[in-house]
Amino acid sequence: MSTAALPATTLHPPPDQRRGPTMDTRHTVIDSGLGPLTVVARGQALTGLYFTDHVRRPAEETLGPRVPAEDDPLFAEAAEQLHDYLAGRRDTFALPLAPEGDTFQHAVWDLVKAIPHGGTTTYGTIAERLGAPGLAQRVGQAVGANPLCILVPCHRVVGADNSLTGYAGGLARKRALLTLEEPAEVTASRLF
């Protein structure tokens, strides 16, 4: 696994950890080939990216008002970058991110963010990188709690035997995202 961080996309913990909307919390919905994506922002940073049937999707009333993506510069940029990524024209994101989470979750998400496009790693490897090889299950919980799917690419974390394991957006979407990122030489060598 490469440890190179994705350039220009940063994780910034929010100034406070209060749950629920603040005056500048808002959301939009972006259509994608994987289904509608709800994008949530607080101030000038994205705090959530969820599928409609996402596990651990926050309650609608915590997302703030819905605004058209084209009316909000941050959402417009996020929509453009997500569409480019899903069309295979982009493999990194340059968006300000501020997911809510504890110190351990942020440490896990930072390592997940560093998994290169087209690569995968395991929960156990992340636990080892954190210096806590016995915490693979806790790493799995932190990965599952990632509020910024796709942008913090938790779909790139697989089971110890390289099996597809839980994904908050569903295993079909995880498979689709990994296939989208699959290196050309791997795709060309497939028999199916």
Side-chain angles (χ1 to χ4, degrees):
M1 177 185 97
S2 169
T3 60
L6 297 177
T9 299
T10 55
L11 293 178
H12 298 288
D16 61 49
Q17 294 293 312
R18 287 178 290 150
R19 299 274 181 207
T22 62
M23 213 158 189
D24 59 350
T25 299
R26 63 210 183 277
H27 76 282
T28 195
V29 178
I30 300 169
D31 291 324
S32 81
L34 297 174
L37 293 170
T38 299
V39 185
V40 184
R42 181 173 294 135
Q44 293 305 307
L46 301 178
T47 59
L49 178 62
Y50 306 98
F51 295 103
T52 302
D53 55 352
H54 203 98
V55 175
R56 293 186 191 95
R57 179 185 168 98
E60 195 73 23
E61 62 271 11
T62 68
L63 305 179
R66 181 173 175 173
V67 299
E70 61 274 8
D71 292 351
D72 184 294
L74 179 59
F75 286 153
E77 183 61 27
E80 182 178 337
Q81 289 189 31
L82 285 162
H83 285 134
D84 285 350
Y85 165 79
L86 293 169
R89 296 185 299 264
R90 168 182 284 277
D91 57 13
T92 62
F93 295 98
L95 296 164
L97 308 178
E100 289 186 4
D102 62 33
T103 302
F104 183 80
Q105 289 171 324
H106 276 275
V108 169
W109 299 337
D110 285 343
L111 290 174
V112 169
K113 196 170 73 65
I115 304 167
H117 185 272
T120 60
T121 194
T122 66
Y123 302 98
T125 299
I126 292 173
E128 288 173 15
R129 300 249 348 262
L130 291 171
L135 293 182
Q137 185 174 13
R138 186 165 174 214
V139 166
Q141 292 168 345
V143 170
N146 170 23
L148 287 162
C149 74
I150 302 175
L151 302 174
V152 176
C154 52
H155 59 276
R156 296 177 188 158
V157 184
V158 297
D161 60 357
N162 287 321
S163 62
L164 293 187
T165 57
Y167 182 63
L171 290 181
R173 287 190 184 109
K174 183 171 187 165
R175 182 175 287 109
L177 290 165
L178 290 172
T179 300
L180 171 73
E181 296 181 358
E182 191 172 62
E185 62 274 7
V186 173
T187 304
S189 70
R190 272 208 233 145
L191 297 176
F192 55 94

